[in-house]
Amino acid sequence: MKTRIGILGLGGVGGYFGGLLAKAYKNIDNVEIIFIARGETQKAITESGLKIVTDETETVVFPDLVSNNPEEIGILDYLICATKTYDIEESLTSLKDCVKAETVFLPLYNGVDAQERIKKIFPKNEVLQGCVYIVSMIFSPGTIRKIGFYEKVFFGSKTTPFAVLEELHIIFEKAKIESYLVENIEETVWEKFIFISALASATSYLNQNIGQILSNSESKVTYIELLHEIEDVARAKGLKLPHDIVAQSVVKLEKSPKEATSSMHRDLLAGKNTEVISLTQFVVNEGKKYGLKTPLYEKIAAILMK
């Protein structure tokens, strides 16, 4: 029996990790990797493969199939979802015919509400929680550029049978993907969210990259203030986070490539739709649920959502 894995969303995350999977399982009989893509991306990968460019290497990979036609794609065992958060409902609804009762979803989005949103569409399916740490982006259709050495995938579930999680973990390991199957996955996902939400909000609001924020004392104070506001929201939700989560997040930023910025900032500069609702406004909304004020998040959300 073949294990059929679909990769939905071939941006910096889906393209990079999907590329590693396609490279590892090319001509391997028991695993099939399907890229779900359309338009320019589908055309580029079909004709020339998916190119992954890192600081040291250039690799071209071909998946078993590139398609956005559910009839061609067929039934999937795993669906790794890495589109933008504003595309969750539309992209997954279009794939209903590819989902069976046993299909397992692994969301690798920037936000933290993907699991419940997917559950609304597929209430009977196992939906894991997951997050990644990587600096990567679309360089051009069918080409992914990864900066720096950092790449980690964390995933888990409180309800999914361990055998299912372990199978996916082994698939990742054989593809040389640094992945961690973690028990307290909700906290792990929120630790990443605290970092990326504050970073996306700060870079977009200040129009500065990581290096500029770190070297400007006022900008750094803005980032840290956002971290404190989102930490208060996370603690109000009852999440057991490290006591020094703000300091840890600042260290993560200091270890990030200075020339890099958030994907939300890049989208804003390119005049594209942004993930401001999932990354900034979401924190304001969650704060209100617990009677918490998040003044800086509110101010930035109001400006970015104009």
Side-chain angles (χ1 to χ4, degrees):
M1 283 289 287
K2 272 193 177 183
T3 301
R4 307 188 74 245
I5 303 173
I7 315 289
L8 174 63
L10 293 164
V13 169
Y16 182 76
F17 291 109
L20 292 187
L21 288 166
K23 181 183 172 190
Y25 292 104
K26 192 69 185 161
N27 304 321
I28 304 274
D29 288 344
N30 60 342
V31 177
E32 194 176 346
I33 306 297
I34 297 112
F35 286 178
I36 301 165
R38 61 188 177 199
E40 288 293 307
T41 303
Q42 182 184 4
K43 185 167 175 276
I45 297 172
T46 302
E47 288 174 5
S48 313
L50 175 76
K51 185 190 281 189
I52 298 173
V53 181
T54 71
D55 297 339
E56 285 94 32
T57 61
E58 255 187 44
T59 313
V60 175
V61 299
F62 286 87
D64 294 294
L65 175 69
V66 190
S67 177
N68 69 335
N69 178 351
E71 285 182 21
E72 275 186 339
I73 295 163
I75 299 294
L76 299 167
D77 297 296
Y78 290 96
L79 182 53
I80 297 171
C81 311
T83 62
K84 296 291 188 182
T85 46
Y86 49 74
D87 279 336
I88 289 176
E89 283 76 12
E90 188 191 341
S91 62
L92 287 175
T93 303
S94 72
L95 293 172
K96 277 193 164 171
D97 291 346
C98 302
V99 175
K100 58 180 176 177
E102 295 79 25
T103 302
V104 176
F105 292 83
L106 173 58
L108 297 176
Y109 298 102
N110 276 330
V112 285
D113 60 347
Q115 186 188 39
E116 55 190 280
R117 287 167 66 181
I118 296 170
K119 272 282 187 192
K120 280 182 184 160
I121 309 168
F122 300 102
K124 295 190 168 74
N125 287 75
E126 293 289 354
V127 182
L128 314 182
Q129 284 181 285
C131 65
V132 303
Y133 285 94
I134 189 171
V135 180
S136 55
M137 68 285 296
I138 297 171
F139 182 74
S140 60
T143 301
I144 304 298
R145 173 78 173 97
K146 177 185 171 255
I147 300 170
F149 63 91
Y150 211 73
E151 52 173 275
K152 295 177 194 291
V153 178
F154 296 88
F155 71 102
S157 166
K158 294 213 166 27
T159 57
T160 306
F162 182 74
V164 173
L165 296 170
E166 186 62 13
E167 181 187 34
L168 189 56
H169 192 213
I170 289 165
I171 286 168
F172 283 161
E173 285 198 321
K174 285 184 179 166
K176 296 188 169 53
I177 291 172
E178 188 179 342
S179 67
Y180 299 88
L181 186 47
V182 288
E183 216 169 295
N184 55 336
I185 186 63
E186 190 173 9
E187 275 81 1
T188 305
V189 167
W190 263 86
E191 277 182 45
K192 156 76 189 284
F193 183 61
I194 286 170
F195 173 74
I196 200 71
S197 166
L199 180 64
S201 303
T203 49
S204 302
Y205 167 62
L206 298 166
N207 191 23
Q208 293 178 345
N209 66 19
I210 288 170
Q212 290 167 320
I213 287 174
L214 289 171
S215 61
N216 179 312
S217 56
E218 282 182 31
S219 300
K220 196 171 176 182
V221 166
T222 298
Y223 177 66
I224 290 169
E225 183 56 38
L226 287 166
L227 288 174
H228 282 298
E229 286 188 3
I230 191 173
E231 178 194 21
D232 289 346
V233 171
R235 296 209 187 277
K237 289 174 73 69
L239 293 162
K240 294 177 179 61
L241 297 166
H243 66 91
D244 60 344
I245 183 69
V246 169
Q248 282 189 26
S249 299
V250 173
V251 169
K252 273 181 201 162
L253 193 68
E254 288 167 347
K255 287 182 174 174
S256 300
K258 300 292 178 282
E259 72 277 17
T261 191
S262 66
S263 59
M264 185 160 96
H265 185 208
R266 283 196 301 272
D267 287 342
L268 191 67
L269 290 173
K272 294 179 181 173
N273 196 355
T274 74
E275 295 186 283
V276 64
I277 290 171
S278 294
L279 291 176
T280 311
Q281 184 62 37
F282 177 82
V283 179
V284 177
N285 297 345
E286 287 294 291
K288 283 177 180 166
K289 281 186 199 172
Y290 297 96
L292 284 176
K293 289 206 180 339
T294 52
L296 188 52
Y297 263 99
E298 282 186 43
K299 177 185 173 183
I300 293 174
I303 290 167
L304 295 179
M305 286 173 71
K306 273 180 185 169

